[in-house]
Amino acid sequence: MPILTELNLYPIKSCAGMSVPEATLTRAGLAFGGIHDREWMVVREDGQFMTQRDYPRMALIVPRLDDGALVLSAPGMAPLTLALAVVHDTPTVQVQVWDDTVQASECGAAGAAWFSQALGVACRLVRFHADAVRLASRTWTGAIEAPTLFSDGYPLLLAGRSSLEDLNQKLVAAGRAALPMNRFRPNLVVEGMEAFEEDYVETFELGAARLKPVKPCPRCPMPSVDQASGCVGPDPLDILQAYRRKAQVDDAVCFGMNCIVTAGEGERLRVGQAVAFVLAF
C-alpha cells in the first residue's frame, strides 16, 4: 500500500520549508507547533507578494521552531525571532496574492529591515490576519468552500515519489542532474503509486482524513531554483513540457495535484502512515 513519506510546511510563502514527522490537518492546510502553512508572506512596499520566481534568495531564509517561536536564519544575518502568539492590535494592511486582495497584519519595522537586508530590496513581512478569509477557486472546488492562507491558491499540494523518479530518469537520459523533491515544494509526498497516478485520483484517504485532488498544479520556473543555494539552474520544464501538458489548464505544464480537505479536519497526519486512494474512473 502507498505510504506518506514527507510532510512539509512552508511557514513563510516562498521561503525554505520545514519537513516535519507529523502535522495537524486543517481545512486551510497543514499546521505544526502553532504555525500554519504559508501563514506569513513577504511583500514589496506596494503590498504585492514576492516569490522565488523573482527573488531566488528567498530559498535561503530558513525557518525553525524554537521554544514557542519561529526563528529565521539567512546567510550573513543574525537570526530573526517571530512570536507565534497573535497580537490583535497590530496594524493591518491590504496585500495582493495573485488576483486576491487579503487583509494581513504587519510584522513590524525590525522584520521589514531584516528581510530587506536579506533580499537586497525594500520589503516587509506580513501575517495572514485572523479575521481574513481567502477561498480556493470555486471553478475547481465546486460546491466546496476551501479556505487557504497565502498559498498560490489551494490548501495542499500532493506529489507522488514515482512521478519525480520518472522525471529524473528523463533528466539523466538527457545528460542532466536528477532533482530533489523540494524543487516542487509539495506539502505531502506519497510513495508506492505509479508515476503521475495522483492525476487520476478521486479521493486520498489517510486514516479519517479525506483529501480531494481538484486541479493539476501548473509549474512556473521556480523548480529551476536550487533550494540549498538559492541559485538558478537548468529549468526542468523543458523536459516536462514534452509529456506533462494538461488541456484542462490551458496546456500548462503540470507536476503534482492541488488538493482540498473534505473530511478529517483536526486529524494528525504522520510520515509512514498508509495512504489509500480511489481512482476517478
Side-chain angles (χ1 to χ4, degrees):
M1 175 174 281
I3 62 170
L4 182 65
T5 57
E6 290 185 31
L7 282 167
N8 302 303
L9 282 83
Y10 306 88
I12 303 173
K13 182 179 181 66
S14 226
C15 293
M18 293 173 50
S19 182
V20 296
E22 61 179 37
T24 300
L25 184 66
T26 79
R27 290 178 62 221
L30 299 180
F32 176 81
I35 63 173
H36 295 79
D37 188 59
R38 276 86 171 192
E39 185 173 355
W40 287 265
M41 183 170 69
V42 186
V43 300
R44 300 187 319 220
E45 290 189 312
D46 62 0
Q48 184 71 25
F49 76 113
M50 294 169 56
T51 75
Q52 289 183 37
R53 299 170 182 88
D54 299 307
Y55 306 95
R57 285 184 58 83
M58 293 180 75
L60 303 183
I61 297 174
V62 179
R64 61 181 173 86
L65 277 173
D66 186 6
D67 195 25
L70 186 65
V71 180
L72 307 178
S73 61
M77 302 280 293
L80 175 69
T81 299
L82 302 176
L84 298 186
V86 175
V87 180
H88 294 284
D89 60 352
T90 55
T92 60
V93 61
Q94 299 294 313
V95 297
Q96 193 74 21
V97 190
W98 296 112
D99 294 331
D100 295 329
T101 301
V102 184
Q103 186 180 19
S105 299
E106 292 270 17
C107 291
W114 192 91
F115 274 89
S116 296
Q117 182 179 345
L119 298 176
V121 62
C123 58
R124 51 192 168 146
L125 183 69
V126 298
R127 187 177 189 178
F128 200 86
H129 195 277
D131 296 331
V133 176
R134 181 172 178 242
L135 299 177
S137 171
R138 295 289 285 272
T139 299
W140 295 94
T141 67
I144 301 172
E145 287 193 347
T148 188
L149 303 186
F150 288 134
S151 71
D152 273 357
Y154 296 86
L156 295 164
L157 177 62
L158 182 148
R161 174 64 58 183
S162 295
S163 303
L164 179 66
E165 292 171 354
D166 181 270
L167 168 61
N168 280 335
Q169 289 173 3
K170 292 176 171 61
L171 287 169
V172 171
R176 305 258 288 274
L179 299 178
M181 184 62 89
N182 66 9
R183 293 290 188 96
F184 296 93
R185 299 173 63 84
N187 297 111
L188 301 96
V189 178
V190 176
E191 186 172 309
M193 304 176 67
E194 297 295 324
F196 302 106
E197 194 172 18
E198 61 268 27
D199 291 14
Y200 308 104
V201 170
E202 177 71 26
T203 303
F204 287 100
E205 301 179 356
L206 299 92
R210 302 290 184 273
L211 310 180
K212 180 178 177 60
V214 293
K215 183 185 179 185
C217 184
R219 305 313 310 206
C220 66
M222 268 182 60
S224 65
V225 179
D226 185 328
Q227 297 298 295
S229 68
C231 295
V232 178
D235 193 334
L237 293 186
D238 65 342
I239 299 292
L240 286 167
Q241 68 182 354
Y243 70 116
R244 290 297 302 161
R245 291 191 179 275
K246 291 287 188 177
Q248 64 265 50
V249 283
D250 299 323
D251 278 341
V253 177
C254 296
F255 186 100
M257 290 295 293
N258 291 300
C259 300
I260 62 175
V261 179
T262 57
E265 183 176 12
E267 282 291 302
R268 298 290 290 179
L269 305 185
R270 294 175 175 82
V271 169
Q273 79 177 95
V275 180
F277 63 92
V278 177
L279 294 176
F281 51 82

